């Protein structure tokens, strides 16, 4: 029996809701909030800093979602603090649980911000 994944767009989230989910250890609520923030929150810098802080989270789903969300920020806002984001992501390329996801996020950021591959 296989598990079929389906796409849904998370609702807009709040900074307070995301930080509360993190504090509570509610991984599903946290990852939903992370994506909701990336897709709907105008404060890209707050989101960027929140995701950077989650790249070392013990749960691989949180680490992967943080990387994905950094790519979403680049796509939606067309800006990131690349001097902080790119080294942070590159440092996680060797993480066996999320390295492929991190690689995809780096490619997205390079594409949407017009950075040379590197």
């Amino acid at each position: 029996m296989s598990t079929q994944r389906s796409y849904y767009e998370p609702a807009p989230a709040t900074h307070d809701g995301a930080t509360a989910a993190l504090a509570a250890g509610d991984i599903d609520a946290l990852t939903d909030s992370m994506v909701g923030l990336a897709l709907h929150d105008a404060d890209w810098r707050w989101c960027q800093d929140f995701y950077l802080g989650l790249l070392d989270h013990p749960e691989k789903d949180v680490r992967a979602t943080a990387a994905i969300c950094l790519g979403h920020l680049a796509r939606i806002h067309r800006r990131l603090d690349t001097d902080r984001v790119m080294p942070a992501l590159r440092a996680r390329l060797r993480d066996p649980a999320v390295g492929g996801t991190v690689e995809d996020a780096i490619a997205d950021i390079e594409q949407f911000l017009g950075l040379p591959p590197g």
Side-chain angles (χ1 to χ4, degrees):
M1 189 171 187
S2 67
T3 302
Q4 185 175 1
R5 298 175 66 101
S6 61
Y7 173 81
Y8 73 98
E9 184 171 322
T14 64
H15 299 176
D16 289 343
T19 55
L22 175 61
D26 185 340
I27 302 307
D28 289 336
L30 175 58
T31 55
D32 282 352
S33 293
M34 291 166 67
V35 177
L37 287 168
L39 297 179
H40 302 287
D41 194 290
D43 190 351
W44 67 269
R45 190 171 301 277
W46 187 96
C47 294
Q48 169 196 270
D49 293 343
F50 187 63
Y51 304 140
L52 286 172
L54 294 172
L55 288 173
D56 289 321
H57 194 277
E59 292 288 333
K60 69 178 179 170
D61 289 346
V62 175
R63 296 193 309 274
T65 303
I68 291 165
C69 287
L70 287 165
H72 286 327
L73 291 181
R75 176 178 56 82
I76 293 166
H77 297 282
R78 303 285 189 204
R79 64 175 117 163
L80 285 175
D81 183 353
T82 56
D83 290 340
R84 292 178 57 217
V85 171
M86 298 307 276
L89 286 172
R90 286 190 182 107
R92 276 102 183 146
L93 282 169
R94 291 195 175 113
D95 180 337
V98 300
T101 302
V102 169
E103 189 173 355
D104 291 344
I106 289 171
D108 287 348
I109 292 166
E110 289 171 346
Q111 176 186 346
F112 293 114
L113 299 186
L115 303 175

